[in-house]
Amino acid sequence: MRLIELSPPGRKIITGTLAFTAEDIIRFAKKFDPQPFHVDAEAARDYVFGGLCASGWHTCAGWMKTYIAYWTKEAARLESEGISPPKLGPSAGFKKLQWLKPVYAGDSITYSISVTESRPLASRPGTWINMTVNDGVNQHGDVVMRYEGTVLEFD
């Protein structure tokens, strides 16, 4: 089974929801993006966002976390039904990454993926590149992050 058969274009798959706590935001930011509006709630009030908010990279890492959990369960489900799941590999890259709204402490972000197209790689027979649109939406229905991605698939 190919990914495009499992997830035809236009089908949005919800991969999961993550709650962003102040502690998680600060912990991630101290390691990877130590800007004041990510690590200090008091200092963050005086910045453009008006409060402590997650790093955009944190929101992207949340997308990956929920996707891996989703795909692990989905592959197990397919195998339990006697279906060989698609063999997915690394991403070949992404483009048009947008952080559209801040993610504040207390927000819950629901992540999704939609496959938009798939094509074989001429340089590697038995390998396809799948193009995707990936979103994160907060509890108010606002899209907070979006990007176009790729995932390789192998025979």
Side-chain angles (χ1 to χ4, degrees):
M1 171 173 270
R2 295 271 327 284
L3 183 61
I4 196 86
E5 297 164 338
L6 184 62
S7 303
R11 180 174 177 223
K12 181 182 262 192
I13 296 170
I14 303 299
T15 59
T17 300
L18 287 180
F20 283 75
T21 67
E23 295 79 18
D24 291 336
I25 288 170
I26 292 167
R27 183 175 36 254
F28 184 94
K30 281 184 176 180
K31 284 184 167 184
F32 304 109
D33 193 357
Q35 298 181 72
F37 44 88
H38 298 321
V39 297
D40 184 336
E42 195 169 312
R45 286 188 206 116
D46 296 329
Y47 281 84
V48 67
F49 304 118
L52 185 72
C53 62
S55 166
W57 299 113
H58 191 177
T59 62
C60 289
W63 183 93
M64 184 57 75
K65 180 178 181 173
T66 63
Y67 180 76
I68 295 299
Y70 161 79
W71 185 248
T72 299
K73 288 180 189 174
E74 182 65 2
R77 181 191 68 80
L78 291 168
E79 287 174 355
S80 75
E81 295 176 7
I83 300 169
S84 185
K87 294 177 186 164
L88 302 180
S91 172
F94 68 91
K95 61 184 179 180
K96 297 185 181 177
L97 173 60
Q98 298 172 292
W99 293 311
L100 300 164
K101 295 215 175 220
V103 173
Y104 293 104
D107 282 350
S108 291
I109 307 304
T110 299
Y111 294 99
S112 66
I113 181 172
S114 300
V115 176
T116 57
E117 65 178 286
S118 182
R119 65 176 171 78
L121 289 180
S123 61
R124 292 183 179 233
T127 303
W128 293 266
I129 188 163
N130 298 288
M131 278 62 77
T132 62
V133 173
N134 311 279
D135 289 333
V137 177
N138 70 16
Q139 69 274 16
H140 306 294
D142 300 320
V143 178
V144 298
M145 58 86 59
R146 174 177 289 142
Y147 71 95
E148 295 176 12
T150 59
V151 64
L152 295 176
E153 182 175 348
F154 307 92
D155 265 343

